[in-house]
Amino acid sequence: MIYLNGKFMPIEEAYVPVLDRGFIFGDGVYEVIPVYSRKPFRLAEHLARLQHSLNGIRLNNPHTNEQWHTLIEQIIASNAADDQYLYLHITRGVAKRDHAFPAGVSPTVFMMSNPLLVPPQELLLTGVPAITASDNRWGRCDIKAISLLPNVLLRQLAIDAGAMETILLRDGFLTEGAASNIFIVKNNVLLTPPKSHLMLPGITYDVVLELAQAHAIPHEVREIAEGELRTADEVLLTSSTREVMPIVSLDGKAIGDGKPGAMFKQLNQLYQQYKASTMRAGNSAVLSE
């Protein structure tokens, strides 16, 4: 079952008018929320990021947080899998084709659930390859906009090369992956770029930094030069659906010894423990020192 504009229905029965501004202009935002054992993970943080995206495109939130909670509970209950990923999609609504914001138009609200398939264990044991490319996206990557064509093209470069991800570089510095945030390890220090308008503020990114802080793992949030990326001891990607994954080669060249490193193994273990404790608590568990 999916949710569309106030109704739950089978996805085969869901239709959106061709003049919806999401279809015409890509005028909308989205959010992806992982669900474990039928409990949404870091829901407050995901809804805060959704609000940030809505603010970024000057679109009023169609629901209060309490209403979102109720709708999310209903969509989880209406689908079979215990582990799911929720996709929320909000556009400015249906209006005649005109670039200017239409007045008096209700937003289109769409939500669906799919089974959540976490990375298979063999990929965590062997690691995955990645490639690099120039970050040619727009200047507001902090908005989780539905107009994802640049990300689609960049991610396809990785698929064409037999890689898992495309790591993006802008003006000689690391920004993020085409569909992930990126961490590197240099001299036993975990490094990642700071949040800015050039990268999506990842929820898993936040969790990894919180884990590093709570467990006294040396870490820095700062700009990372391309040369540091290419000579890193380890490279990791994070995302809501892929969690924490080790990248073991970059543009065909091995990273470190070409195997998942000690920092990845520690962070992945901590992440899995935190995820389990969060699900037992039914909310965002507090990280302990």
Side-chain angles (χ1 to χ4, degrees):
M1 299 290 286
I2 64 94
Y3 173 88
L4 179 63
N5 292 337
K7 297 180 180 179
F8 290 90
M9 65 188 76
I11 195 167
E12 295 80 9
E13 297 178 10
Y15 295 93
V16 176
V18 294
L19 286 179
D20 190 281
R21 287 177 63 94
F23 179 69
I24 296 293
F25 293 120
D27 184 1
V29 300
Y30 75 104
E31 187 61 42
V32 175
I33 306 170
V35 174
Y36 302 105
S37 301
R38 297 194 171 274
K39 296 176 182 177
F41 183 69
R42 303 270 288 201
L43 180 56
E45 290 83 351
H46 281 282
L47 291 179
R49 186 170 67 176
L50 176 64
Q51 185 64 60
H52 173 83
S53 295
L54 289 166
N55 292 345
I57 68 166
R58 296 168 59 188
L59 179 58
N60 291 331
N61 197 325
H63 296 302
T64 65
N65 277 355
E66 291 75 17
Q67 290 170 330
W68 279 120
H69 277 255
T70 298
L71 290 172
I72 286 167
E73 289 174 0
Q74 290 175 311
I75 200 76
I76 292 170
S78 68
N79 287 279
D82 287 339
D83 293 347
Q84 306 174 23
Y85 74 88
L86 306 184
Y87 177 82
L88 283 59
H89 180 110
I90 305 168
T91 79
R92 206 173 302 276
V94 180
K96 69 175 184 178
R97 189 185 184 283
D98 186 351
H99 285 70
F101 292 172
V105 172
S106 298
T108 296
V109 181
F110 167 61
M111 183 164 51
M112 68 176 175
S113 169
N114 285 292
L116 175 62
L117 302 176
V118 298
Q121 188 64 25
E122 61 262 27
L123 290 185
L124 302 182
L125 293 174
T126 62
V128 298
I131 63 171
T132 60
S134 176
D135 189 349
N136 56 9
R137 302 168 302 163
W138 72 323
R140 287 302 309 274
C141 297
D142 58 308
I143 297 173
K144 206 166 175 67
I146 63 173
S147 47
L148 284 172
L149 182 57
N151 298 72
V152 168
L153 294 173
L154 290 163
R155 181 73 190 284
Q156 189 60 40
L157 291 177
I159 301 303
D160 293 343
M164 175 63 71
E165 181 62 297
T166 303
I167 296 178
L168 306 180
L169 298 161
R170 190 187 295 248
D171 300 326
F173 290 91
L174 167 67
T175 52
E176 59 182 343
S180 64
N181 292 116
I182 302 295
F183 290 77
I184 73 168
V185 180
K186 292 276 289 185
N187 301 319
N188 296 315
V189 179
L190 183 70
L191 304 172
T192 196
K195 291 181 182 180
S196 74
H197 62 286
L198 297 178
M199 64 175 277
L200 182 73
I203 305 301
T204 310
Y205 166 103
D206 287 341
V207 174
V208 168
L209 288 175
E210 290 169 18
L211 290 168
Q213 179 67 33
H215 295 274
I217 296 172
H219 62 283
E220 296 178 20
V221 177
R222 62 167 176 79
E223 289 192 335
I224 297 171
E226 178 177 353
E228 293 180 290
L229 169 67
R230 295 194 181 279
T231 59
D233 303 317
E234 296 183 48
V235 178
L236 317 175
L237 71 79
T238 63
S239 77
S240 288
T241 55
R242 291 184 283 177
E243 301 183 341
V244 184
M245 293 189 69
I247 294 172
V248 295
S249 69
L250 193 61
D251 294 329
K253 182 180 178 181
I255 296 168
D257 63 2
K259 299 177 182 178
M263 185 73 78
F264 160 72
K265 293 174 184 177
Q266 181 181 12
L267 286 171
N268 184 54
Q269 181 181 36
L270 291 171
Y271 183 86
Q272 297 305 325
Q273 291 170 348
Y274 170 68
K275 184 175 77 174
S277 68
T278 299
M279 293 305 95
R280 286 194 298 270
N283 52 38
S284 295
V286 176
L287 290 165
S288 60
E289 295 292 340

